[in-house]
Amino acid sequence: MAQISFIGAGNMATAIIKGLLAQGQTPSDITATGVDADALKQLSDETGIQVTTDNRAAIAGRDLVVMAVKPQVMKGVCEGIADLVQSHQPVVMSVAAGLTLDSLDRWLGGQTALVRCMPNTPALLGAGAAGLYANAEVSDQGRQYAEAVMQAVGLAVWVEREDLLDAVTAVSGSGPAYFFLFVEVLEQAGIQQGLAPEVARQLAMQTALGAGRMLTENDLEPAELRRRVTSPGGTTEQAVNTFIEGGLGDLVQKAADAAAQRARELA
Ligand code: NAD
């Protein structure tokens, strides 16, 4: 089994660690670091993993080091372990939003085997969707480690160029909020039609869940699922045509373009 360290043991790292343990990873093969010794002790008591407040103690002998600190502290954290990364050469994977491989590589001393991952928030429930990109220094084995780690909290897909992670941000990184917004406006529409707010909300939320499950629990394409619930001349057709004629496709394209553009600006 791979030896894996998490530098930073907050929400994202904890979710991934629990996912790995649920898949049978040996607790003692995982180390997590952080600045809050009490929180680390609690995590260790709960999971059996190794913990330390010393990032430098979590590099030697590790196959994969997952950088899971906030973007604004990443530079200092990388520089603090750079010499050890250079001497021990683990694969380093960053899950930080918006930090390019160029920056990470510079902070870690250059020629680092690096994976950049764009996860999303449902990873905290084990239902994430992540895009991964590896630089040329990462071996096939290293790619497998990185992929297995992100698959512990959901779907993990590789993209073939780093800039495509901006597109991943536009689809899945920011995507959960699009669906939340849709539920909000659907709830409002139900209220306008006379439903009690709580009833409208419950119906809209449960419908999102049901549609999500239908999408993921069978092999039919989204368009085919839609066709199957859209009888000619029926109620759903009226609503779907209203979306299409109202330019939903163009609007979603514009929204995704704006998200990707912002991701490029922040990098
Ligand atoms: P968090 O605030 O919950 O956790 C941050 C962790 O970093 C804490 O355990 C803290 O103790 C630790 N830390 C702070 N300074 C440190 C240092 N100098 N050395 C070692 N550890 C240190 O943050 P999070 O939500 O888990 O996010 C972590 C990363 O994941 C971020 O870069 C974020 O961009 C990315 N991410 C998170 C989500 C999400 O849904 N939470 C989604 C996408 C990307």
Side-chain angles (χ1 to χ4, degrees):
M1 279 266 198
Q3 297 285 323
I4 304 171
S5 278
F6 290 81
I7 306 297
N11 294 315
M12 186 51 79
T14 302
I16 298 172
I17 290 165
K18 289 185 175 168
L20 286 168
L21 295 174
Q23 293 192 347
Q25 175 92 16
T26 311
S28 56
D29 289 348
I30 300 176
T31 308
T33 78
V35 288
D36 181 343
D38 291 342
L40 287 174
K41 165 135 191 0
Q42 198 182 330
L43 180 62
S44 166
D45 289 347
E46 207 182 316
T47 60
I49 67 165
Q50 305 183 54
V51 293
T52 171
T53 53
D54 179 7
N55 294 338
R56 295 179 59 81
I59 311 300
R62 295 341 190 262
D63 300 297
L64 180 70
V65 174
V66 181
M67 304 299 293
V69 295
K70 293 283 189 196
Q72 54 272 28
V73 302
M74 187 67 87
K75 180 171 188 279
V77 172
C78 285
E79 287 171 349
I81 57 171
D83 59 326
L84 294 171
V85 169
Q86 291 294 321
S87 50
H88 294 283
Q89 306 208 329
V91 176
V92 178
M93 173 163 73
S94 161
V95 296
L99 295 179
T100 61
L101 289 188
D102 233 26
S103 301
L104 292 161
D105 191 48
R106 202 162 1 97
W107 300 336
L108 288 166
Q111 303 286 304
T112 329
L114 275 173
V115 177
R116 187 176 152 198
C117 169
M118 179 64 219
N120 69 0
T121 314
L124 305 181
L125 304 175
L132 299 172
Y133 173 77
N135 70 7
E137 275 73 24
V138 180
S139 65
D140 284 350
Q141 177 74 83
R143 288 170 75 100
Q144 279 170 27
Y145 292 147
E147 186 177 315
V149 161
M150 293 317 297
Q151 277 178 348
V153 286
L155 174 80
V157 298
W158 291 97
V159 293
E160 61 274 17
R161 297 195 319 269
E162 185 177 5
D163 65 295
L164 288 174
L165 290 177
D166 297 329
V168 172
T169 303
V171 174
S172 53
S174 302
Y178 313 164
F179 290 91
F180 301 150
L181 175 64
F182 195 85
V183 168
E184 283 176 64
V185 294
L186 185 58
E187 175 191 331
Q188 281 307 316
I191 293 169
Q192 281 299 317
Q193 293 187 345
L195 292 174
E198 194 47 36
V199 171
R201 173 169 302 176
Q202 283 180 326
L203 290 174
M205 288 195 318
Q206 182 66 17
T207 303
L209 175 69
R213 287 190 56 187
M214 287 184 75
L215 283 163
T216 51
E217 291 179 19
N218 68 50
D219 291 335
L220 297 173
E221 289 182 10
E224 178 56 23
L225 283 169
R226 172 163 63 81
R227 270 193 290 278
R228 290 190 182 198
V229 295
T230 310
S231 322
T235 58
T236 307
E237 187 183 59
Q238 290 297 312
V240 166
N241 285 346
T242 305
F243 283 133
I244 292 170
E245 285 158 18
L248 181 67
D250 287 345
L251 190 59
V252 171
Q253 183 69 59
K254 252 196 225 165
D257 290 349
Q261 175 58 29
R262 187 68 185 138
R264 282 190 286 276
E265 288 165 7
L266 291 174

